[in-house]
Amino acid sequence: MLTITQALVDQIVAHARKDHPDEACGVVAGPAGSDRPERFVPMLNAAMSPTFYEFDSGDLLKLYREMDDRDEEPVVIYHSHTATEAYPSRTDISYANEPGAHYVLVSTADTEGLGDFQFRSYRIVEGEVTEEEVKVVESY
C-alpha cells in the first residue's frame, strides 16, 4: 500500500495537468528504508511527448547523487498518461528498474467517465505489475 499526503497528491496531479498534453514525470524522494514519500521532485520529460516519457539522463544522475547525499531513495516514481487510463504500458513496465518504488500513474484523460483524473499506484518487479491501494493522509 502507498501512503501519501494529500499535498503530494495535489502536487503530482497539478504537474500532470500543467504538462498536458505531454506526459509529466517525476520522483517523490523519502528517507532511505522508510517507504515514506516526502520530497516532491518534478522532472522534465526529455521526450516532450504525449505518449511517452523519458527522464533527462543528466537530471536523473544529479537527482540520484542528491538523494544519495541526503540518505534518500525514490519512494514514488510518477508519470501521467494523457489519453489512456492510469495503467502501465509495456514501455513503462520495461523501464521500471526500482523494485522498491511505488509507480504512480495519473491519467488526465476522462476514460470511461471516471472523472477528470485517475491516481493509481503499482509495484512493478521483474515485469510483473501489481496494483496497490493508495491511502491519502493529511500528514504522517
Side-chain angles (χ1 to χ4, degrees), residues 21-25 44-55 79-82 89-92 94-95:
D22 289 338
E23 290 192 3
C25 58
L44 172 69
N45 178 354
M48 295 186 182
S49 167
T51 58
F52 178 75
Y53 83 97
E54 182 176 38
F55 292 118
H79 77 280
S80 62
H81 282 180
T82 61
S89 69
R90 285 191 307 270
T91 304
D92 297 339
S94 70
Y95 281 15

Side-chain angles (χ1 to χ4, degrees), residues 54-69:
E54 182 176 38
F55 292 118
D56 177 85
S57 58
D59 290 348
L60 196 57
L61 179 61
K62 180 181 170 196
L63 172 62
Y64 270 79
R65 284 182 175 157
E66 189 178 276
M67 286 190 299
D68 192 46
D69 290 345

Side-chain angles (χ1 to χ4, degrees), residues 1-6 9 37 119 121 132-140:
M1 173 172 56
L2 169 63
T3 301
I4 188 168
T5 64
Q6 184 65 58
V9 169
F119 188 100
S121 184
E132 62 183 350
E133 182 183 345
V134 176
K135 181 179 178 184
V136 180
V137 296
E138 285 307 311
S139 63
Y140 301 121

Side-chain angles (χ1 to χ4, degrees), residues 72-125:
E72 292 176 328
E73 63 189 5
V75 177
V76 169
I77 299 172
Y78 73 88
H79 77 280
S80 62
H81 282 180
T82 61
T84 59
E85 71 173 320
Y87 189 84
S89 69
R90 285 191 307 270
T91 304
D92 297 339
I93 295 165
S94 70
Y95 281 15
N97 59 4
E98 287 287 350
H102 302 270
Y103 285 87
V104 166
L105 274 95
V106 174
S107 176
T108 53
D110 184 4
T111 54
E112 300 173 25
L114 296 174
D116 60 349
F117 74 92
Q118 296 171 46
F119 188 100
R120 296 165 71 182
S121 184
Y122 304 88
R123 293 290 191 157
I124 305 174
V125 180

